[in-house]
Amino acid sequence: RAGLGSLYEQFLQLKSQLAAEGLFDTERKKPIPVWAKKIAVVTSPNAAALRDVLTALQRRAPHCEVIIYPTPVQGDNAGSKIAQAIAQAEADAYCELIIVCRGGGSIEDLWAFNEEIVARTIAHCSLPVISGVGHETDFTICDFVADLRAPTPTAAAELAARPRVEWLANLQHARELM
């Protein structure tokens, strides 16, 4: 086939369908907690993206607890496994938000994040979801339905947690007011 290819056509078709259903609407987006202390991370335990997220959170907010929900992020049935990991993080009700992440790659590599089951699971999740899938110019259906899109996994971590310095300044300010 000439042109953009069948995967890209499937992407556009699903994107259009979900947009028409309102899954990308700003009004349905949940706010990201300002002072999150417990963060779920849905990704592969072997992914460089996980190391990036953990490093950024350790540097920025070492007080945050991170719970990893391991899942394959590409390959057969990866979409349904990602959806299951998101649903498990929600069901555990232990964390205040979820980061779904994976590093960059081709449309084939990122395809699991374009699956309808992932989009619908994120849309119906009671916890806020930050999508940190791909790098900079990569866009997936997951990005559009998530409550917040980050351009990279590291940026997702930075958007999920306020720096420790800000926490301490806020506490100092509260102390002064008391």
Side-chain angles (χ1 to χ4, degrees):
R1 293 183 59 143
L4 295 172
S6 64
L7 278 182
Y8 189 67
E9 288 176 20
Q10 290 174 41
F11 169 85
L12 291 177
Q13 185 177 38
L14 181 59
K15 182 181 173 195
S16 178
Q17 174 192 333
L18 297 176
E21 292 178 28
L23 268 64
F24 305 158
D25 291 354
T26 305
E27 301 80 41
R28 63 154 289 283
K29 307 276 184 182
K30 293 172 284 306
I32 305 303
V34 176
W35 303 110
K37 295 181 292 261
K38 296 176 183 169
I39 300 170
V41 179
V42 172
T43 194
S44 169
N46 303 319
L50 176 59
R51 287 188 302 280
D52 293 347
V53 166
L54 294 176
T55 299
L57 287 173
Q58 181 60 37
R59 172 182 39 81
R60 184 175 179 87
H63 57 277
C64 285
E65 186 176 346
V66 177
I67 307 299
I68 299 165
Y69 288 84
T71 183
V73 292
Q74 73 181 67
D76 293 340
N77 300 314
S80 62
K81 291 175 183 175
I82 292 166
Q84 288 171 0
I86 293 167
Q88 186 63 57
E90 178 186 22
D92 288 350
Y94 187 72
C95 296
E96 297 154 282
L97 68 94
I98 301 171
I99 296 173
V100 177
C101 63
R102 183 210 192 281
S106 67
I107 191 169
E108 293 86 1
D109 292 341
L110 301 177
W111 191 254
F113 298 94
N114 289 322
E115 292 189 23
E116 187 171 358
I117 189 169
V118 174
R120 294 197 183 279
T121 301
I122 291 171
H124 295 103
C125 185
S126 61
L127 297 173
V129 176
I130 298 175
S131 174
V133 177
H135 286 292
E136 304 293 338
T137 58
D138 297 321
F139 280 90
T140 64
I141 298 293
C142 177
D143 295 325
F144 295 108
V145 75
D147 299 298
L148 184 62
R149 178 202 181 256
T152 65
T154 300
E158 291 171 351
L159 291 168
R162 292 278 177 112
R164 184 172 189 255
V165 170
E166 285 185 32
W167 278 75
L168 295 174
N170 188 286
L171 287 172
Q172 180 62 31
H173 179 69
R175 180 177 171 227
E176 290 168 4
L177 288 175
M178 288 172 43

